[in-house]
Amino acid sequence: MEQDYIKLIFGLKLKQIRTDKGLSLFGLSKLSGLSKSYLNEIEKGKKYPKPDKIAALSEHLDVPYDEMVSLKLDKNLAPIGEILQSKLLKEIPLELFGIQESTMIDIISNAPAKVTAFISTIIEIAKNYNFSKESFYLASVRSFQEANNNYFDDLEQAVLKFSKTYQVDLTKPLKSVELEEILIEEYGYTINTTELTSHTELDNLRSVFVPKTKTLLLARHIDDAQKTFIYAKEIAYNYLEISERLYTFSWIKFENFDQVLNNFYASYFAGALIIPRASLVADLKDLFSKKSFKAKDFERIISNYNASPESIYQRLTNILTKDFNLKSLFFLRFSHQKGSNHFKLNKELHLSKQQSPHANETNQHYCRRWVSLKVLEQISKSNKPHEFDIQISNYPNEDKSYLIFSSATADPFVANSYRSVNIGIQINSQLKRKIAFAESESIPKTQVGVTCERCVISDCEVRQAQPISIISAQKDAKIADVVNKIQEKYSK
């Protein structure tokens, strides 16, 4: 068994025995002759005492030596042992949020029954919703992004330093050929654009990196914007000296959390390099200064960069929070198959708090009034390369409104499939100060819900299902009201 586990178990047992006997660390120190700091280190699982020290503790605490060193835990601590043995705490990237593993163990040991029941509940929910290890890692990274308002100055500065070192002009649209030259000349890459085409199983992959020979295999049908992003990510892995990384894009599976986090770092670096902060801030200030909104003004910003709409929208989540102090926002990506009535929310980020809407795993119907779904329906009919729309969405049951920007494009890797990317900014006093057209009459305003099953809007013309959750809640409320009246009647 791992030495760390043995130390933790002994520390937990010692703490429980001490507290059961009503002793403080100071009291146990006086009783045993061991220093208070040494005992504290033992209880935190940092040190394991030598046999003579264990014998002294056994004698003064009146507990058999064999019981002290046994790894068997009583019923109060048994759930903690299961958690430690399962290595659950090793899977959780606690250090990312400034939490020490010992702190978490201390919290668990102070209320073992309640905390372990809570953790068990979370695990059970995850199993029921088919929440994989990859999903857990991705959720952890999203929480990390949200905790930092999705802005990372060290990566922004790394991009500026890189551009100066390699004389990359950030005032002009970046092309793949410029980054390809750096990969080949500086990092010894070989670029291969033929190999992937001979493997039909890899049709959904854009690239595969072979580390032994530094060969980057590229899908032939990607456009220059996609190629530029792939090159920028490869540069990020090398320039940031990241070794624990993924070798395919898009990812197939993650082996550990570091791969997930480093994938995010490389993607952030790539986005910041292709869509420089200074340029995008200037573009947005010009757009936001206008008193009326015109779609062509926003679409012009997208065309200013050699990047996909998704990369632009992702970059907006960095810039809006930092440079405009617009922190209550969300990013969503939907996918849709032509002719289908199904819309899948497969990527989301919520800053400041859990904004609406968010993904559901209950097969409920997303609100068809969302602009994010409307643009998908539009592009599946028009076959245009890009559909854009804007909307103010009012959520009556939450008393919140959002300014939504939405773009849809065809999925280049799946036939007759489309994707929409969306950014929603909560309408508040800060947004009204920063965006002159925030209350413009030219922007359509729509009452929306989250899912049809949970929607309070009674006169919806595009409802896909009855509001069963609302009806159920109303029924429960009536039952509770009748019960209360009966209790009042017979209490007199």
Side-chain angles (χ1 to χ4, degrees):
M1 299 186 69
E2 290 186 10
Q3 288 300 313
D4 286 347
Y5 172 73
I6 295 172
K7 287 191 287 187
L8 288 169
I9 292 298
F10 187 89
L12 289 170
K13 290 185 74 170
L14 178 61
K15 181 174 182 178
Q16 185 184 46
I17 293 167
R18 174 178 64 78
T19 54
D20 285 348
K21 291 184 178 295
L23 286 169
S24 66
L25 276 171
F26 180 83
L28 181 57
S29 175
K30 288 192 69 175
L31 188 66
S32 65
L34 303 176
S35 72
K36 178 184 172 182
S37 61
Y38 180 62
L39 291 169
N40 188 42
E41 293 282 285
I42 294 172
E43 288 192 358
K44 287 186 175 180
K46 293 182 179 179
K47 290 184 178 179
Y48 192 87
K50 293 181 179 179
D52 61 319
K53 301 290 193 302
I54 298 175
L57 289 168
S58 170
E59 179 184 348
H60 292 294
L61 291 171
D62 193 26
V63 176
Y65 184 98
D66 289 345
E67 186 178 325
M68 290 283 293
V69 298
S70 170
L71 293 174
K72 185 178 180 181
L73 297 169
D74 67 18
K75 62 179 182 180
N76 290 326
L77 290 178
I80 300 175
E82 292 176 10
I83 290 171
L84 294 176
Q85 277 190 303
S86 71
K87 299 182 181 179
L88 175 65
L89 296 183
K90 297 292 185 185
E91 297 283 350
I92 302 173
L94 297 172
E95 71 284 350
L96 203 61
F97 304 98
I99 302 171
Q100 298 296 319
E101 186 178 334
S102 58
T103 305
M104 184 63 74
I105 292 168
D106 197 44
I107 293 170
I108 295 172
S109 63
N110 283 330
K114 293 179 180 178
V115 177
T116 51
F118 172 73
I119 292 175
S120 297
T121 301
I122 297 298
I123 293 171
E124 193 63 29
I125 291 172
K127 288 178 181 176
N128 289 339
Y129 284 96
N130 195 26
F131 200 70
S132 64
K133 183 173 72 173
E134 286 82 5
S135 299
F136 176 79
Y137 286 157
L138 290 167
S140 297
V141 170
R142 283 199 302 271
S143 296
F144 177 54
Q145 291 175 258
E146 291 161 11
N148 290 277
N149 290 317
N150 203 30
Y151 180 83
F152 296 87
D153 195 59
D154 55 338
L155 295 173
E156 299 282 348
Q157 296 305 316
V159 165
L160 295 178
K161 187 178 177 182
F162 169 82
S163 66
K164 182 178 180 181
T165 301
Y166 290 94
Q167 288 296 290
V168 176
D169 189 351
L170 297 182
T171 65
K172 298 178 181 178
L174 194 58
K175 298 295 184 182
S176 65
V177 63
E178 188 173 358
L179 299 185
E180 183 177 290
E181 184 180 12
I182 294 172
L183 283 174
I184 295 172
E185 296 295 329
E186 290 294 310
Y187 298 117
Y189 272 50
T190 298
I191 310 298
N192 183 311
T193 58
T194 59
E195 179 64 29
L196 292 187
T197 59
S198 61
H199 303 277
T200 56
E201 302 88 348
L202 305 182
D203 283 348
N204 289 335
L205 293 184
R206 303 180 193 184
S207 68
V208 175
F209 179 63
V210 183
K212 189 173 183 179
T213 58
K214 286 192 172 184
T215 302
L216 182 62
L217 311 177
L218 291 179
R220 184 175 287 175
H221 53 285
I222 60 175
D223 60 25
D224 196 68
Q226 293 166 338
K227 187 185 294 186
T228 303
F229 186 80
I230 292 168
Y231 286 167
K233 279 191 71 174
E234 290 300 322
I235 284 174
Y237 283 129
N238 286 274
Y239 186 73
L240 300 176
E241 298 181 347
I242 294 171
S243 57
E244 192 68 58
R245 56 160 292 179
L246 300 173
Y247 296 119
T248 64
F249 182 58
S250 301
W251 63 271
I252 300 172
K253 66 175 183 176
F254 297 117
E255 298 296 337
N256 54 59
F257 178 73
D258 284 343
Q259 289 181 346
V260 189
L261 183 61
N262 290 335
N263 179 65
F264 163 69
Y265 285 151
S267 296
Y268 189 106
F269 182 99
L273 180 63
I274 298 167
I275 311 160
R277 177 184 172 192
S279 298
L280 186 55
V281 168
D283 286 341
L284 290 174
K285 283 183 176 179
D286 180 58
L287 175 70
F288 292 165
S289 68
K290 301 179 186 300
K291 292 187 177 180
S292 63
F293 179 83
K294 294 180 180 178
K296 64 179 182 180
D297 293 331
F298 185 80
E299 291 176 309
R300 188 179 298 117
I301 291 177
I302 293 178
S303 66
N304 283 346
Y305 305 93
N306 186 24
S308 67
E310 179 168 353
S311 293
I312 301 287
Y313 278 66
Q314 290 270 20
R315 189 69 174 129
L316 286 174
T317 66
N318 311 138
I319 300 306
L320 291 175
T321 58
K322 177 64 177 178
D323 294 284
F324 297 88
N325 202 28
L326 296 171
K327 297 178 180 178
S328 294
L329 58 82
F330 60 78
F331 168 89
L332 305 173
R333 183 181 72 194
F334 284 89
S335 61
H336 174 62
Q337 195 74 24
K338 187 174 184 178
S340 167
N341 196 36
H342 178 68
F343 298 85
K344 184 178 181 181
L345 176 50
N346 47 28
K347 195 169 187 178
E348 59 182 324
L349 179 70
H350 301 266
L351 301 185
S352 186
K353 56 192 126 180
Q354 186 71 3
Q355 315 287 347
S356 287
H358 42 81
N360 74 83
E361 298 290 342
T362 53
N363 293 319
Q364 294 188 359
H365 298 78
Y366 292 117
C367 179
R368 294 307 195 264
R369 292 185 173 191
W370 291 348
V371 67
S372 49
L373 305 192
K374 292 178 182 175
V375 291
L376 284 170
E377 292 178 331
Q378 290 167 4
I379 197 168
S380 66
K381 296 174 183 176
S382 69
N383 290 319
K384 291 181 181 178
H386 177 230
E387 284 281 358
F388 170 81
D389 208 345
I390 188 171
Q391 175 177 299
I392 292 177
S393 294
N394 301 315
Y395 288 81
N397 55 329
E398 297 182 27
D399 194 27
K400 291 180 182 177
S401 297
Y402 295 88
L403 177 64
I404 315 288
F405 299 85
S406 184
S407 286
T409 57
D411 187 332
F413 298 95
V414 183
N416 296 316
S417 183
Y418 303 89
R419 298 177 296 189
S420 76
V421 287
N422 315 268
I423 191 161
I425 315 167
Q426 187 175 353
I427 296 179
N428 50 31
S429 57
Q430 178 67 5
L431 179 132
K432 293 175 183 177
R433 281 196 296 270
K434 294 292 181 178
I435 302 180
F437 59 75
E439 297 181 287
S440 171
E441 293 298 322
S442 63
I443 301 175
K445 299 176 178 62
T446 307
Q447 298 281 93
V448 301
V450 177
T451 65
C452 295
E453 289 81 352
R454 298 178 181 275
C455 184
V456 297
I457 301 171
S458 58
D459 59 344
C460 180
E461 72 287 355
V462 289
R463 179 181 287 281
Q464 302 294 306
Q466 291 301 307
I468 53 176
S469 297
I470 302 296
I471 295 170
S472 178
Q474 291 171 344
K475 182 179 179 181
D476 290 343
K478 287 180 181 178
I479 292 171
D481 184 54
V482 173
V483 170
N484 288 335
K485 287 178 179 177
I486 291 173
Q487 287 178 336
E488 290 175 5
K489 178 180 177 180
Y490 285 94
S491 296
K492 294 178 181 178

